[in-house]
Amino acid sequence: MAEASWYVVHTYSGYENKVKANIEKTIENRHLEDQILEVRVPMQDVVEMKNGARKQVQKKMFPGYVLINMVMNDDTWYVVRNTRGVTGFVGPGSKPVPLTEAEMRPLGIQSENVVVDFKEGDTVTVTGGVWADTVGVIQSMNHSKQCVIINVDLFGRETPVEISFSEIRKM
């Protein structure tokens, strides 16, 4: 199978989050999770002054663009290109060009694999985020997204939750 790379997709300005949601829904519907790994709208923290008050807000780093980590083939190209709000891939003509490692570094997106000491079936404790101090059993692992799915008890029901590798610890 081909290697996944990061590609840049041009969208209508202001539609970045909508395009991200539409692509993620299509990935789920067409079962392309192993080909389109991640969709991102890069954000940065900015301090704004309004009415004399300092306020920290998140702004899009590249308005009108969405980053997609995917294996490029006819199916994935078609799905992304024909998503509502997408005007095309960045690259000459109709040939998308993947981002290089040097272009990825300033965005804070690492591609190296993290070695973890847990596996499916292990009981883990969540150390950060919304689910901090929650205990769960790993149902599945996604090494490309560097996350696990654990079942947590929510309103008396077992509910699957996606947690980053960096936010869990083996018990």
Side-chain angles (χ1 to χ4, degrees), residues 140-154:
S140 66
M141 297 179 69
N142 186 334
H143 288 279
S144 59
K145 287 177 72 176
Q146 298 186 359
C147 65
V148 296
I149 303 285
I150 65 169
N151 279 347
V152 297
D153 190 39
L154 184 65

Side-chain angles (χ1 to χ4, degrees), residues 11-45:
T11 67
Y12 296 128
S13 189
Y15 282 76
E16 299 89 349
N17 292 324
K18 187 74 171 159
V19 166
K20 178 181 189 278
N22 287 342
I23 291 173
E24 287 173 343
K25 192 68 174 165
T26 305
I27 292 168
E28 189 179 315
N29 291 342
R30 293 189 180 211
H31 304 292
L32 295 171
E33 294 89 351
D34 58 336
Q35 295 177 48
I36 302 176
L37 307 174
E38 189 175 355
V39 182
R40 280 197 186 183
V41 179
M43 305 291 268
Q44 64 184 351
D45 291 325

Side-chain angles (χ1 to χ4, degrees), residues 96-108:
V97 177
L99 292 174
T100 64
E101 284 294 322
E103 292 169 324
M104 295 302 294
R105 237 176 272 125
L107 303 177

Side-chain angles (χ1 to χ4, degrees), residues 5-167:
S5 298
W6 285 92
Y7 294 89
V8 181
V9 176
H10 190 264
T11 67
Y12 296 128
S13 189
Y15 282 76
E16 299 89 349
N17 292 324
K18 187 74 171 159
V19 166
K20 178 181 189 278
N22 287 342
I23 291 173
E24 287 173 343
K25 192 68 174 165
T26 305
I27 292 168
E28 189 179 315
N29 291 342
R30 293 189 180 211
H31 304 292
L32 295 171
E33 294 89 351
D34 58 336
Q35 295 177 48
I36 302 176
L37 307 174
E38 189 175 355
V39 182
R40 280 197 186 183
V41 179
M43 305 291 268
Q44 64 184 351
D45 291 325
V46 178
V47 176
E48 288 184 344
M49 293 292 287
K50 283 198 176 176
N51 299 330
R54 292 173 58 95
K55 185 177 178 185
Q56 187 158 346
V57 295
Q58 285 207 315
K59 294 252 182 179
K60 293 179 183 88
M61 289 173 80
F62 309 109
Y65 295 93
V66 174
L67 299 178
I68 302 179
N69 188 12
M70 62 189 254
V71 175
M72 183 58 70
N73 59 37
D74 290 342
D75 291 338
T76 56
W77 181 88
Y78 180 84
V79 164
V80 173
R81 183 64 186 89
N82 291 298
T83 299
R84 184 181 300 228
V86 171
T87 59
F89 282 93
V90 172
S94 63
K95 185 178 183 336
V97 177
L99 292 174
T100 64
E101 284 294 322
E103 292 169 324
M104 295 302 294
R105 237 176 272 125
L107 303 177
I109 301 173
Q110 287 84 22
S111 61
E112 72 264 1
N113 288 332
V114 175
V115 178
V116 293
D117 65 342
F118 40 80
K119 60 186 180 313
E120 288 183 23
D122 285 353
T123 303
V124 293
T125 304
V126 181
T127 59
V130 178
W131 299 99
D133 301 324
T134 304
V135 175
V137 176
I138 297 175
Q139 301 303 312
S140 66
M141 297 179 69
N142 186 334
H143 288 279
S144 59
K145 287 177 72 176
Q146 298 186 359
C147 65
V148 296
I149 303 285
I150 65 169
N151 279 347
V152 297
D153 190 39
L154 184 65
F155 305 120
R157 288 184 149 162
E158 289 277 309
T159 306
V161 177
E162 189 175 276
I163 307 283
S164 168
F165 283 172
S166 62
E167 293 183 337

